[in-house]
Amino acid sequence: MTTHATRRWCDDREHPFVTYHPWLDRSYCRCGRRQEAGALPLDWQAKHETHHNCELAGPCRCYVQGKPVSS
């Protein structure tokens, strides 16, 4: 079950794919309303907003081409 805030966040962004589950071979939006079979391209900006709490000034460099940058 998702919160109202999660559903609103997802609705405002037209349900971008932010998660891929390899065992089920499905891609999901944050609230789970939009699901598709396969590893579809993820929206990395939306994923960043959802799963990352970066406090760097300026553009975040934590993800490069969808992969975490090692420190």
Side-chain angles (χ1 to χ4, degrees):
M1 188 154 136
T2 59
T3 65
H4 177 70
T6 296
R7 288 189 302 274
R8 186 176 61 234
W9 182 93
C10 220
D11 285 340
D12 290 348
R13 290 160 183 78
E14 299 180 4
H15 301 274
F17 289 119
V18 295
T19 301
Y20 171 69
H21 192 301
W23 291 357
L24 300 176
D25 192 30
R26 294 190 71 76
S27 297
Y28 300 86
C29 68
R30 181 179 177 189
C31 74
R33 182 179 295 168
R34 182 177 176 207
Q35 301 180 21
E36 297 287 336
L40 300 175
L42 300 180
D43 182 327
W44 287 99
Q45 179 60 39
K47 187 173 182 79
H48 177 82
E49 290 174 25
T50 304
H51 299 292
H52 187 66
N53 185 16
C54 184
E55 300 201 11
L56 298 174
C60 176
R61 300 257 183 229
C62 297
Y63 287 92
V64 175
Q65 297 179 356
K67 297 179 183 168
V69 175
S70 58
S71 320

